[in-house]
């Protein structure tokens, strides 16, 4: 059985991916410093897959700790989810973001090279497309960045491209996620942000259960079907399956692969709110507010390449995303606490 080191595996996308790796016959080795997650998520995953998991509480920046893990286990490939991800916070704390995201990636690839493990899947983001010139967005679209978080993703992409250019024995999949939402259908794991959520979906679920009063919809004057922002929301379980396909691919000596992970369909913020209301069986209160600085109007993926290269196709609907997100919120009113 192949060992896949999952850095950041206690987090939102990582915990769901651990399940899909096990379903596909891989053995995940989880590493996380729990800076934005709780060990409880791993316990919940153990309950779902009905087996105990290997977990190390460690920081990817701590090369000695990582060396110990690589010495204990023969690692076939690494998926790196570890990083900070809040756009607004990155503008307040750019040094911390560059240190953790870029420093963490460099430390990780250094240790990987020492142990001759040169297979890596990296969590990038549609944020590297900046304000796209056209939609759907293809992988060869112009890249740009508007905030330190986005810059860390873009700079890491450049670093990984240079690594692959310099040494053709590296196999790297750069996955550009669109908007991951939803939760595992068990309702045992899901998105559990600290404090008041910044992102749309966790904010709506908190409004749905009365923990927050009303959703502010940031902007109703975009050039979109109903004036509100349009995004490519993708169910986190579909996204996680994309990681298994990416691991399969790099283990075939693929070299560098860069793909979008989205559904290819853009839904508006209002459509998302209405679908939540339908699933909940009552109206989600909302009001229109000014545009959020830095936001773009429309963003959705061209999924042709992901289908061609990985055989990836998202199957879950917007209703699935809303139902599963609500289920997690209802079953866990205080998140993992
Ligand atoms: P998350 O915060 O839930 O998961 C990241 C995990 O990494 C957390 O468990 C955190 O404790 C851990 N971590 C952070 N720094 C670490 C370090 N130095 N060493 C060890 N562990 C560390 O976030 P997520 O939503 O699961 O996102 C996973 C990845 O996907 C991130 O890199 C994020 O930037 C990227 N991404 C997320 C989204 C999104 O909307 N969720 C969109 C695009 C890209
Ligand atoms: N929105 C609201 N009200 C809210 C929160 C969001 O109206 O309370 C709107 C936003 O204005 C936007 C849409 O909902 O139009 C989606 O916003 P999110 O904050 O959920 O997501 P973003 O598209 O802004 O960004 C997310 C991640 C980024 C990542 C990007 C692409 O936060 O890190 O998806 O993957 F880069």
């Amino acid at each position: 059985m192949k060992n896949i080191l999952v850095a950041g595996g206690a987090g939102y996308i990582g915990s769901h991916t651990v399940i899909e790796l096990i379903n596909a016959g891989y053995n995940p080795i989880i590493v996380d410093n729990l800076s934005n997650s709780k060990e409880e998520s791993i316990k919940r995953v153990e309950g779902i897959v009905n087996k105990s998991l290997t977990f190390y509480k460690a920081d990817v920046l701590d090369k000695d700790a990582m060396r110990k893990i690589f010495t204990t286990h023969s690692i076939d490939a690494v998926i790196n989810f570890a990083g900070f991800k809040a756009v607004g916070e990155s503008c307040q704390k750019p040094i911390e973001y560059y240190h953790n995201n870029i420093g963490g990636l460099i430390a990780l690839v250094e240790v990987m090279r020492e142990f001759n493990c040169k297979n890596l899947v990296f969590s990038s983001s549609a944020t590297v497309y900046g304000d796209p010139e056209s939609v759907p967005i293809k992988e060869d679209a112009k890249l740009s960045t508007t905030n330190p978080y986005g810059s860390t993703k873009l700079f890491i992409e450049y670093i990984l491209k240079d690594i692959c250019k310099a040494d053709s024995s590296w196999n790297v999949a750069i996955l550009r996620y669109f908007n991951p939402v939803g939760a595992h259908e068990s309702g045992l794991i899901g998105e559990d942000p600290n404090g008041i959520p910044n992102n749309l979906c966790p904010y709506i679920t908190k409004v749905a259960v009365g923990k927050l009063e009303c959703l502010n919809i940031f902007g109703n004057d975009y050039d979109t079907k109903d004036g509100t922002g349009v995004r490519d929301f993708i169910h986190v379980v579909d996204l996680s399956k994309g990681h298994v396909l990416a691991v399969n691919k790099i283990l075939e000596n693929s070299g560098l692969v860069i793909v979008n992970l989205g559904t290819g369909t853009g839904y508006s913020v209002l459509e998302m709110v209405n679908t939540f209301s339908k699933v909940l069986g009552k109206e989600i209160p909302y009001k229109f507010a000014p545009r959020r600085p830095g936001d773009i109007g429309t963003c959705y993926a061209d999924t042709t390449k992901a289908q061609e290269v990985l055989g990836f196709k998202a199957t879950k609907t917007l209703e699935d995303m809303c139902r599963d997100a609500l289920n997690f919120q209802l079953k866990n009113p205080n998140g993992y606490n």
Side-chain angles (χ1 to χ4, degrees):
M1 197 184 265
K2 291 208 157 55
N3 292 325
I4 313 297
L5 189 137
V6 186
Y12 173 46
I13 305 169
S15 57
H16 289 82
T17 300
V18 165
I19 296 174
E20 299 308 325
L21 285 169
I22 291 169
N23 289 344
Y26 289 110
N27 182 38
I29 311 288
I30 304 167
V31 178
D32 201 300
N33 66 0
L34 303 180
S35 57
N36 195 39
S37 53
K38 305 206 174 61
E39 199 169 341
E40 177 64 18
S41 68
I42 295 165
K43 298 214 169 77
R44 303 273 180 102
V45 172
E46 288 180 326
I48 293 167
V49 298
N50 199 19
K51 66 185 254 187
S52 61
L53 297 172
T54 309
F55 169 60
Y56 295 95
K57 182 172 186 286
D59 195 308
V60 293
L61 282 153
D62 181 349
K63 290 206 272 181
D64 282 337
M66 296 304 291
R67 285 187 186 105
K68 270 192 204 140
I69 297 167
F70 274 82
T71 304
T72 309
H73 306 274
S74 165
I75 303 292
D76 295 285
V78 174
I79 307 180
N80 185 26
F81 293 105
F84 295 152
K85 64 166 182 176
V87 172
E89 186 185 60
S90 78
C91 299
Q92 314 302 320
K93 298 181 172 174
I95 298 175
E96 285 79 359
Y97 270 67
Y98 287 119
H99 178 71
N100 195 48
N101 293 7
I102 300 183
L105 182 277
I106 302 263
L108 191 57
V109 291
E110 281 175 345
V111 174
M112 287 174 70
R113 183 177 56 181
E114 277 172 38
F115 287 83
N116 200 31
C117 170
K118 295 183 176 176
N119 301 317
L120 174 67
V121 176
F122 174 68
S123 305
S124 189
S125 164
T127 192
V128 298
Y129 296 119
D131 192 351
E133 281 170 356
S134 61
V135 286
I137 309 171
K138 283 186 190 295
E139 286 81 353
D140 59 4
K142 217 169 81 190
L143 304 181
S144 70
T145 154
T146 53
N147 58 72
Y149 165 71
S151 300
T152 68
K153 294 296 179 193
L154 192 52
F155 297 160
I156 290 172
E157 288 204 6
Y158 290 143
I159 292 167
L160 294 174
K161 285 175 198 169
D162 285 339
I163 290 174
C164 291
K165 211 186 283 175
D167 176 354
S168 62
S169 61
W170 278 88
N171 302 296
V172 175
I174 293 176
L175 305 181
R176 294 181 181 150
Y177 313 156
F178 280 68
N179 288 57
V181 296
H184 190 261
E185 62 178 10
S186 63
L188 289 172
I189 59 166
E191 192 170 10
D192 180 26
N194 293 324
I196 296 177
N198 291 305
N199 295 117
L200 180 64
C201 192
Y203 200 104
I204 296 179
T205 57
K206 291 227 171 343
V207 174
V209 297
K211 285 197 166 259
L212 291 169
E213 228 169 76
C214 176
L215 171 73
N216 291 301
I217 295 185
F218 299 135
N220 61 345
D221 56 353
Y222 286 106
D223 183 16
T224 60
K225 46 191 142 186
D226 56 26
T228 65
V230 166
R231 293 292 183 276
D232 188 337
F233 299 102
I234 175 168
H235 196 295
V236 65
V237 171
D238 276 334
L239 187 75
S240 299
K241 290 179 177 163
H243 289 75
V244 174
L245 296 173
V247 168
N248 296 344
K249 186 78 193 171
I250 58 171
L251 290 177
E252 291 167 3
N253 285 321
S254 60
L256 177 67
V257 170
I258 303 177
V259 292
N260 290 334
L261 290 184
T263 64
T265 304
Y267 286 107
S268 74
V269 172
L270 258 184
E271 284 175 318
M272 177 65 118
V273 175
N274 291 336
T275 308
F276 264 110
S277 296
K278 184 174 154 203
V279 168
L280 183 67
K282 66 176 193 210
E283 291 298 308
I284 306 272
Y286 67 83
K287 62 176 188 293
F288 293 117
R291 290 183 180 192
R292 186 171 63 177
D295 269 0
I296 55 175
T298 301
C299 175
Y300 58 92
D302 186 312
T303 56
T304 314
K305 192 175 173 196
Q307 189 154 8
E308 276 172 12
V309 175
L310 298 184
F312 175 77
K313 188 156 176 45
T315 59
K316 291 187 181 275
T317 64
L318 193 64
E319 213 164 297
D320 296 331
M321 303 176 208
C322 296
R323 186 199 55 234
D324 292 338
L326 267 175
N327 184 33
F328 176 71
Q329 175 68 60
L330 289 166
K331 284 195 171 145
N332 305 274
N334 299 312
Y336 288 121
N337 289 318

